[in-house]
């Protein structure tokens, strides 16, 4: 892996973790907000308690099983490590950069695959490349937008 590949990989990893952090944080906050609203809905006269209860149960299980907030925290920590490496990478020798990158990668979170192409495109834009953008599917575009970074070609 040459120097340009290393710099691309570090930048790509930063944007992937950043998008994953934002997506998971937003999902967690959306679920929490929905649970709060449904909790208040029990005081409404028109409420169907069974439906509200079922939705609350499903959302609670999703939050418990997938632990969006905890995963977002792991992504945020990795994002910070990659940002630090990005800021200092111009002053680091190739071998040290390779070693530090490999060490940071050992703790990578498991970002959603739907964010990978958008992170790739964002990295190309950030590094000033104007060719070889990956076309995003509709699902990838929506998730990238929700993650706060829908790169325009």
């Amino acid at each position: 892996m040459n120097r340009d590949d290393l710099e691309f990989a570090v930048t790509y990893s930063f944007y992937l973790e950043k998008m994953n952090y934002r997506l998971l944080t937003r999902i967690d906050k959306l679920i929490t907000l929905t649970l709060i609203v449904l909790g208040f809905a029990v005081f409404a006269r028109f409420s169907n308690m069974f439906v509200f209860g079922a939705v609350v149960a499903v959302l609670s299980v999703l939050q418990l099983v997938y632990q969006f907030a905890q995963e977002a925290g792991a992504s945020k920590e990795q994002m910070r490590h990659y940002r630090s490496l990005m800021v200092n990478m111009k002053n680091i020798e190739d071998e040290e950069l390779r070693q530090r990158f490999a060490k940071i990668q050992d703790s990578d979170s498991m970002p959603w695959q739907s964010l990978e192409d958008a992170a790739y495109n964002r990295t190309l834009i950030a590094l000033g490349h104007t060719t070889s953008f990956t076309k995003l599917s509709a699902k990838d575009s929506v998730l990238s937008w929700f993650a706060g970074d829908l790169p325009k070609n």
Side-chain angles (χ1 to χ4, degrees):
M1 194 181 264
N2 65 30
R3 179 67 182 215
D4 289 337
D5 292 341
L6 272 172
E7 289 183 6
F8 187 90
V10 169
T11 306
Y12 169 78
S13 296
F14 167 75
Y15 283 112
L16 185 59
E17 292 290 352
K18 182 179 180 179
M19 292 174 75
N20 194 55
Y21 162 69
R22 282 186 180 164
L23 176 66
L24 296 178
T25 299
R26 288 177 178 179
I27 289 172
D28 184 62
K29 287 180 179 181
L30 180 65
I31 290 174
T32 301
L33 177 65
T34 305
L35 288 171
I36 291 169
V37 169
L38 290 175
F40 284 122
V42 297
F43 298 112
R45 291 183 184 184
F46 57 90
S47 64
N48 184 339
M49 296 300 173
F50 176 77
V51 172
F52 287 153
V55 173
V56 166
V58 168
L59 292 177
S60 297
V61 167
L62 282 174
Q63 235 176 0
L64 181 67
V65 170
Y66 292 107
Q67 299 181 359
F68 296 111
Q70 185 176 351
E71 291 296 319
S75 283
K76 184 177 183 179
E77 190 63 28
Q78 283 303 100
M79 179 183 73
R80 288 180 179 169
H81 290 301
Y82 284 122
R83 182 184 308 133
S84 174
L85 189 57
M86 279 174 55
V87 168
N88 297 312
M89 88 180 142
K90 297 294 182 192
N91 303 322
I92 299 173
E93 295 295 323
D94 291 358
E95 188 55 37
E96 183 183 352
L97 178 61
R98 187 175 291 108
Q99 289 173 355
R100 288 175 63 178
F101 178 59
K103 185 177 179 182
I104 293 171
Q105 274 188 316
D106 287 344
S107 302
D108 271 357
S109 64
M110 297 295 294
W112 291 16
Q113 288 181 341
S114 298
L115 300 175
E116 290 176 353
D117 288 339
Y120 177 81
N121 288 348
R122 173 55 60 207
T123 303
L124 289 174
I125 293 168
L127 295 177
H129 300 285
T130 57
T131 58
S132 68
F133 288 100
T134 302
K135 182 163 175 49
L136 300 178
S137 68
K139 177 186 79 166
D140 292 352
S141 293
V142 169
L143 283 174
S144 299
W145 174 80
F146 197 65
D149 196 359
L150 178 59
K152 301 289 183 195
N153 296 357

